[in-house]
């Protein structure tokens, strides 16, 4: 059981061990998550400037049995960055630890503080004529430590993998305040348990990541982007297979778009131009990155897809401005979703071959529950769908809020039946703890609890998240 961090005695003792202005009272921005479903509390806000200061904070909290809530960019969607119940915690933000410590172009490695904003890491890689391929909608505010703690995915997983696949080594502070110096740049290190992969995806429950050695890649010299209209999710899946036959591993992104999402963008953001006069029910956004002639490869793919009757229309970007416009459309779908207001949103993954049947069955299931609108879109190349359910046109989500759990239960039951996951890339957080308990393998959950108890016996690091 944790104790209250708001006592003057604890705050004074901790402040005496830290540089001036490390501690303060948290403002409102640190106490809420983007969807407005969770509102946290915080007795103290700690903003250290070094790993040693992080260690001091955590050691003091562990000795006093005070909870610590790691805080990255605050962009998470499952409530892991706020603590709504229990004694007030210390909110630990690494926003002041945002240095790029080193870049090794010949090794294709960049070493950064965990508080670095993702977009800044991308820019630093670009200055070294390299690519850090992790890319997601919140990259202008999401931080590397949070990306790794949630094993973030994004649009380039198909080619480059999740955050886990982009990390070579970590520096982290364990729940007892000890610093783990695992910031290796090695690509081979077979010396026992992999603590790096244990920390990645743990959502800050096993320790606080303070630094990371990240993989870089050569920047593609030629990039081509297109939107192609397909008749169904099955046709999109066959188009993906064809794309890999034509372009090999150079397919960087393959995004499934549903017409409902495009209509939401049209209705809420009229400045965003849609690529077709008549909105198609299904389309895919494809990007290919190569050493040369990406445009010719994408044109060859379009021609082969037409001949195979997999697509019936398409737009291939002819300039960087057109390419940016196509991606702007994709990136504004979540913004439009938020403006409309979903009854229930689902971040799910399924085996690729099961996707078409799942989409059909899920649509039928949702229709039995009410007159909902569905926007099903996402990273088809890695089996990750954002299956979001909205109220009928002209009605608010508040009118249907009482039915949210029934909708999600139906979707998750179906995901489970198809061998999928109810959380593809946003994590479990606080929102999906009961869902993990319902669908998780009991043996795996027992092992997770044992690991948590071994590393954090006092339960101070992000209590209530995941388990």
């Amino acid at each position: 059981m944790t104790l209250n961090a708001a006592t003057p005695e604890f705050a004074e003792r901790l402040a005496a061990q830290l540089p001036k202005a490390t501690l303060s009272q948290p403002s409102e921005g640190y106490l809420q998550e983007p969807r407005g479903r969770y509102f946290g509390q915080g007795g103290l806000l700690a903003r250290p400037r070094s790993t040693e200061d992080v260690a001091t904070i955590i050691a003091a909290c562990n000795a006093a049995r005070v909870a610590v809530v790691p805080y990255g960019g605050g962009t998470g969607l499952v409530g892991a960055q706020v603590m709504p119940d229990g004694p007030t915690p210390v909110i630990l933000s690494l926003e002041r630890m945002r240095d790029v410590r080193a870049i090794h172009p010949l090794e294709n490695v960049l070493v950064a503080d965990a508080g670095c904003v993702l977009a800044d890491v991308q820019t630093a890689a670009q200055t070294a004529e390299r690519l850090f391929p992790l890319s997601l909608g919140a990259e202008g505010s999401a931080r590397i430590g949070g990306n790794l703690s949630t094993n973030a995915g994004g649009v380039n997983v198909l080619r480059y993998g999740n955050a886990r696949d982009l990390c070579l080594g970590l520096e982290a502070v364990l729940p007892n305040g000890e610093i783990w110096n695992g910031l290796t740049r090695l690509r081979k290190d077979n010396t026992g348990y992999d603590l790096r992969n244990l920390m990645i995806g743990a959502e800050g429950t096993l320790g606080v990541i303070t630094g990371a050695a990240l993989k870089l890649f050569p920047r593609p010299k030629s990039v081509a982007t297109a939107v192609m209209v397909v008749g169904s999710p099955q046709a999109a899946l066959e188009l993906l297979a064809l794309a890999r036959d034509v372009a090999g591993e150079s397919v960087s992104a393959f995004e499934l778009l549903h017409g409902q999402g495009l209509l939401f963008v049209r209705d809420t953001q009229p400045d965003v131009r849609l690529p077709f006069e008549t909105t198609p029910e299904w389309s895919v956004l494809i990007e290919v990155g190569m050493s040369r002639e990406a445009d010719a490869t994408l044109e060859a793919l379009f021609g082969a897809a037409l001949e195979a009757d997999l697509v019936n229309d398409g737009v291939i970007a002819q300039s960087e401005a057109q390419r940016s416009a196509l991606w702007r459309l994709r990136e504004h779908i979540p913004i439009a979703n938020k403006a409309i207001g979903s009854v229930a949103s689902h971040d799910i993954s399924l085996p690729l071959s099961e996707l078409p049947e799942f989409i059909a069955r899920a649509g039928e299931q949702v229709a039995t529950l009410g007159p909902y609108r569905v926007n099903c879109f996402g990273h088809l190349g890695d089996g990750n769908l954002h299956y979001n359910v909205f109220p009928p046109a002209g009605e608010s989500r508040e009118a249907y809020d009482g039915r949210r759990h029934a909708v999600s239960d139906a979707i998750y039951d179906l995901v489970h039946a198809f061998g999928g996951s109810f959380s593809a890339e946003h994590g479990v957080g606080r929102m999906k703890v009961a869902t993990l308990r319902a669908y998780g393998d009991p043996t795996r959950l027992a092992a997770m609890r044992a690991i948590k108890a071994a590393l954090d016996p006092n339960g101070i690091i992000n209590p209530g998240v995941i388990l």
Side-chain angles (χ1 to χ4, degrees):
M1 179 178 179
T2 57
L3 302 179
N4 204 321
T7 64
E9 295 80 10
F10 174 77
E12 289 172 9
R13 288 199 308 271
L14 183 56
Q17 303 175 61
L18 296 166
K20 279 188 176 183
T22 299
L23 302 182
S24 61
Q25 293 299 308
S27 61
E28 185 178 344
Y30 294 96
L31 302 177
Q32 58 187 342
E33 51 85 45
R35 288 180 177 165
R37 296 196 184 276
Y38 292 88
F39 296 91
Q41 52 179 345
L44 285 174
L45 172 65
R47 296 188 297 159
R49 297 182 182 276
S50 70
T51 300
E52 290 70 26
D53 287 346
V54 174
T56 298
I57 293 164
I58 292 180
C61 288
N62 188 52
R65 306 297 191 268
V66 169
V68 177
V69 176
Y71 190 92
T75 61
L77 299 177
V78 291
Q81 72 272 47
V82 295
M83 185 173 166
D85 304 309
T88 54
V90 169
I91 299 172
L92 179 60
S93 170
L94 300 190
E95 63 195 82
R96 288 174 168 170
M97 295 174 58
R98 51 188 303 172
D99 288 343
V100 173
R101 302 186 190 181
I103 303 178
H104 304 274
L106 295 181
E107 298 180 20
N108 281 318
V109 177
L110 180 149
V111 182
D113 283 346
C116 278
V117 173
L118 173 55
D120 292 341
V121 172
Q122 295 168 344
T123 300
Q126 186 173 358
T127 61
E129 298 185 354
R130 294 294 185 268
L131 171 71
F132 182 62
L134 184 63
S135 180
L136 38 91
E139 61 192 32
S141 51
R143 299 181 186 275
I144 285 297
N147 295 147
L148 292 166
S149 292
T150 57
N151 190 28
V155 297
N156 291 326
V157 171
L158 174 63
R159 183 171 183 176
Y160 297 104
N162 289 324
R164 183 186 307 280
D165 303 299
L166 301 174
C167 180
L168 292 171
L170 290 177
E171 175 188 82
V173 178
L174 301 184
N176 63 1
E178 293 183 354
I179 299 172
W180 169 46
N181 295 298
L183 206 55
T184 178
R185 307 198 311 267
L186 300 176
R187 294 174 187 263
K188 290 184 176 181
D189 182 10
N190 194 11
T191 54
Y193 301 151
D194 192 342
L195 296 185
R196 172 198 58 174
N197 273 329
L198 196 59
M199 290 287 174
I200 297 174
E203 300 182 53
T205 61
L206 300 179
V208 176
I209 295 171
T210 54
L214 305 169
K215 293 181 185 178
L216 303 181
F217 296 83
R219 298 189 65 81
K221 303 299 183 185
S222 178
V223 177
T225 308
V227 173
M228 299 185 189
V229 177
V230 294
S232 66
Q234 178 63 40
L237 199 60
E238 293 176 21
L239 178 60
L240 173 61
L242 180 62
R244 283 172 155 166
D245 287 343
V246 172
E249 295 304 311
S250 66
V251 181
S252 302
F254 197 93
E255 298 287 297
L256 181 69
L257 308 178
H258 188 259
Q260 185 64 75
L262 303 185
L263 293 176
F264 283 167
V265 173
R266 181 200 65 186
D267 294 343
T268 62
Q269 299 162 83
D271 60 317
V272 179
R273 184 176 178 273
L274 302 186
F276 305 105
E277 288 189 14
T278 301
T279 301
E281 182 179 9
W282 295 104
S283 56
V284 292
L285 174 62
I286 308 171
E287 184 155 284
V288 174
M290 308 177 69
S291 59
R292 57 187 176 87
E293 298 181 354
D295 288 326
T297 299
L298 204 51
E299 289 169 4
L301 170 61
F302 185 59
L306 280 173
E307 188 173 332
D309 202 26
L310 295 178
V311 304
N312 54 63
D313 199 357
V315 172
I316 298 177
Q318 300 299 309
S319 65
E320 181 59 31
Q322 290 182 8
R323 175 177 172 268
S324 296
L326 293 180
W327 274 110
R328 186 172 180 234
L329 173 62
R330 166 61 180 88
E331 291 159 358
H332 278 68
I333 291 175
I335 299 172
N337 285 347
K338 186 175 182 180
I340 298 294
S342 69
V343 173
S345 299
H346 311 95
D347 162 45
I348 58 177
S349 63
L350 296 118
L352 286 182
S353 62
E354 304 288 357
L355 283 165
E357 179 65 18
F358 169 83
I359 292 171
R361 289 270 300 279
E364 294 169 359
Q365 185 69 39
V366 169
T368 67
L369 300 175
Y372 299 111
R373 295 174 291 175
V374 173
N375 181 17
C376 172
F377 69 105
H379 319 306
L380 184 70
D382 54 58
N384 177 196
L385 293 179
H386 302 297
Y387 197 94
N388 299 342
V389 179
F390 296 83
E395 299 190 43
S396 69
R397 83 171 188 181
E398 287 74 21
Y400 291 82
D401 204 45
R403 307 184 197 181
R404 175 162 55 98
H405 293 297
V407 173
S408 291
D409 287 347
I411 294 299
Y412 291 149
D413 282 348
L414 198 58
V415 168
H416 187 66
F418 275 87
S421 169
F422 65 84
S423 179
E425 61 178 357
H426 290 160
V428 175
R430 302 179 196 281
M431 181 182 293
K432 299 179 181 179
V433 171
T435 310
L436 177 61
R437 191 162 55 242
Y439 298 104
D441 177 78
T443 301
R444 178 171 180 253
L445 292 177
M448 289 168 63
R449 292 188 186 98
I451 293 168
K452 172 69 171 174
L455 291 181
D456 186 16
N458 294 324
I460 68 158
I461 302 291
N462 231 4
V465 169
I466 299 182
L467 300 171

